[in-house]
Amino acid sequence: MASQIEVEALKQSFQEALESTRDIAALDVLEQEYFSRASGKLTLLMKGLGALTPDERKVHGQMLNALKNELFEELGNKRVMLEGKTMSDIAIAEAIDVTQPVEFPPGFGHMHPVTRARWDMEEVARSMGFLVEDGPELETDYYNFTAVNIPPTHPARDSMDTFYVKDHPHWVMRTHVSNMQVRLLKKYGAPIRAAYPGRCFRNEATDARHEHTFYQFETIVVDRQITFSDMVGVIKALLSGLFKKDVKVRFRPKFYPFVEPGVNGEMTCMLCDGRGCKVCKGTGWLEIFGAGLVHPHVLREGGLNPREWTGFAFGMGLSRLVMLKYGIEDTRLLQSGDMRFLEQF
Ligand code: DAH
């Protein structure tokens, strides 16, 4: 068994030899002398481990391994020095060019159309100084309903419409991304501009226009003296960013508990440019969002004084926007994972 003294002696003689090595050829000889598989000095010490008891082997094995790593590193450093290369030369030579374009092999996947549309809209939102936030899909009934002024008796809370979680009476799969309104107000206070796309769930009987899982894109802005016309500008910017052309919007009053006044928003049908077609049922308009000025109840739940702050919020059906953008007739295809469908994008 190699004693501590022997190990130290071996290390010292190696280091002295290394010190006096002046060229690569001599370095190769030294490497063989210590590390060659058959008869290297260090290799022989390692081979001696086989004759030890397991406990001894553990202790000596660790010691010899540490020694081997140390000497090997010194050898490598000397080689770098003799070759006249610095570490940064090596780093440059071995670097991978992450900017180099990659040729994707056939069959390589791509982003889902919903993801692409979401990204397009997020980019527009960011360009206007909005935060883009993610939120929980499994939510408490407080944030999903109570916080946004939907009282316990509201029909939206019915289990016909909402997925509840077994054994957790206050947990729901969020039915809209409006669950984020009070979360964001509490987190950031005011003034705030935020966009929050996400997945929502409703206990729907599914058909070509209804799906139990779908996407929405919502924004909230709270500041001093925010008006309806601020909101119209943001809505138009987002829709134009997604459809890559100017769109017109119009509003009709509609009740939503979390806004006052509330409206239902339509945009010109981009398929017929407002002339009237099958998709817009001849009207030239498509219903795609709910909107309004943030209700004082919501501001208060978010810790803000409604006398001081005003704001707007609007929520768009992202799945519906994607269907319109790409001419998809059945919403269930978006969730189907069907390659024949997905490969078309
Ligand atoms: N949360 C509503 C829904 O899912 C959509 C909505 C309506 C969002 C009006 C809003 C709003 O922000 O102001 O049907």
Side-chain angles (χ1 to χ4, degrees):
M1 165 168 45
S3 71
Q4 186 85 35
I5 298 175
E6 268 178 296
V7 168
E8 275 306 315
L10 182 115
K11 180 170 161 183
Q12 230 177 46
S13 67
F14 171 85
Q15 285 170 336
E16 279 164 17
L18 191 69
E19 179 71 39
S20 56
T21 303
R22 295 277 167 266
D23 57 46
I24 295 282
L27 192 72
D28 287 342
V29 172
L30 185 68
E31 181 168 352
Q32 284 304 309
E33 189 183 332
Y34 283 82
F35 295 99
S36 106
R37 272 172 180 253
S39 57
K41 287 182 179 163
L42 200 68
T43 319
L44 292 179
L45 278 188
M46 300 281 242
K47 279 187 179 160
L49 289 173
L52 303 181
T53 66
D55 280 348
E56 289 171 333
R57 199 180 306 140
K58 197 169 163 217
V59 176
H60 284 264
Q62 275 173 2
M63 181 171 81
L64 289 180
N65 255 328
L67 177 72
K68 184 176 152 199
N69 290 340
E70 189 183 337
L71 301 192
F72 213 72
E73 192 180 329
E74 289 175 7
L75 193 82
N77 289 343
K78 182 83 179 197
R79 189 176 293 281
V80 169
M81 210 183 84
L82 291 176
E83 284 174 347
K85 287 185 188 160
T86 64
M87 287 314 277
S88 71
D89 287 334
I90 293 186
I92 289 166
E94 292 183 358
I96 302 165
D97 179 2
V98 291
T99 65
Q100 196 176 7
V102 176
E103 290 239 356
F104 290 124
F108 200 92
H110 58 69
M111 288 304 151
H112 192 280
V114 172
T115 307
R116 284 195 195 170
R118 175 166 67 81
W119 284 358
D120 280 352
M121 292 171 74
E122 285 178 4
E123 201 174 303
V124 177
R126 285 202 184 88
S127 76
M128 296 186 290
F130 282 64
L131 294 166
V132 177
E133 287 269 324
D134 201 7
E137 295 175 347
L138 175 60
E139 183 56 287
T140 58
D141 60 0
Y142 169 73
Y143 282 112
N144 196 83
F145 295 127
T146 316
V148 287
N149 202 24
I150 302 177
T153 51
H154 196 283
R157 294 199 179 213
D158 199 288
S159 61
M160 298 288 282
D161 293 315
T162 302
F163 290 116
Y164 288 89
V165 178
K166 199 172 162 219
D167 300 331
H168 294 277
H170 295 295
W171 289 7
V172 302
M173 296 306 290
R174 66 171 170 193
T175 58
H176 52 183
V177 289
S178 309
N179 71 316
M180 290 297 288
Q181 293 188 1
V182 169
R183 284 183 172 277
L184 290 168
L185 296 183
K186 281 190 181 167
K187 184 168 171 193
Y188 295 108
I192 182 176
R193 277 178 240 177
Y196 34 100
R199 199 155 59 147
C200 313
F201 310 85
R202 283 186 203 171
N203 191 358
E204 301 270 12
T206 61
D207 61 30
R209 290 169 58 97
H210 298 92
E211 177 61 297
H212 49 68
T213 302
F214 57 96
Y215 290 81
Q216 290 187 336
F217 191 105
E218 186 167 312
T219 75
I220 191 166
V221 170
V222 176
D223 209 326
R224 293 174 205 278
Q225 295 171 357
I226 286 290
T227 67
F228 221 83
S229 55
D230 297 315
M231 179 172 81
V232 177
V234 174
I235 290 174
K236 280 185 162 178
L238 281 174
L239 293 174
S240 310
L242 176 64
F243 292 108
K244 316 281 183 231
K245 56 173 152 183
D246 277 349
V247 295
K248 283 205 191 92
V249 291
R250 72 174 186 183
F251 304 93
R252 281 183 295 186
K254 180 164 179 185
F255 173 73
Y256 294 101
F258 31 90
V259 281
E260 176 61 38
V263 293
N264 169 335
E266 294 176 317
M267 67 179 275
T268 37
C269 175
M270 82 296 303
L271 297 174
C272 63
D273 275 327
R275 280 186 295 275
C277 67
K278 205 177 102 198
V279 173
C280 61
K281 299 200 197 83
T283 64
W285 294 93
L286 295 163
E287 191 184 314
I288 44 170
F289 58 91
L293 298 182
V294 181
H295 196 288
H297 172 93
V298 176
L299 292 171
R300 257 184 256 114
E301 288 296 314
L304 299 176
N305 179 355
R307 291 185 191 285
E308 196 182 338
W309 301 99
T310 47
F312 64 76
F314 61 85
M316 300 183 165
L318 182 57
S319 303
R320 180 142 164 74
L321 289 172
V322 171
M323 289 170 73
L324 292 168
K325 175 161 174 159
Y326 295 106
I328 299 164
E329 287 181 353
D330 190 328
T331 187
R332 291 168 294 189
L333 285 166
L334 293 173
Q335 291 278 121
S336 66
D338 187 334
M339 292 306 288
R340 290 165 304 178
F341 166 71
L342 292 170
E343 274 167 3
Q344 295 175 49
F345 296 94

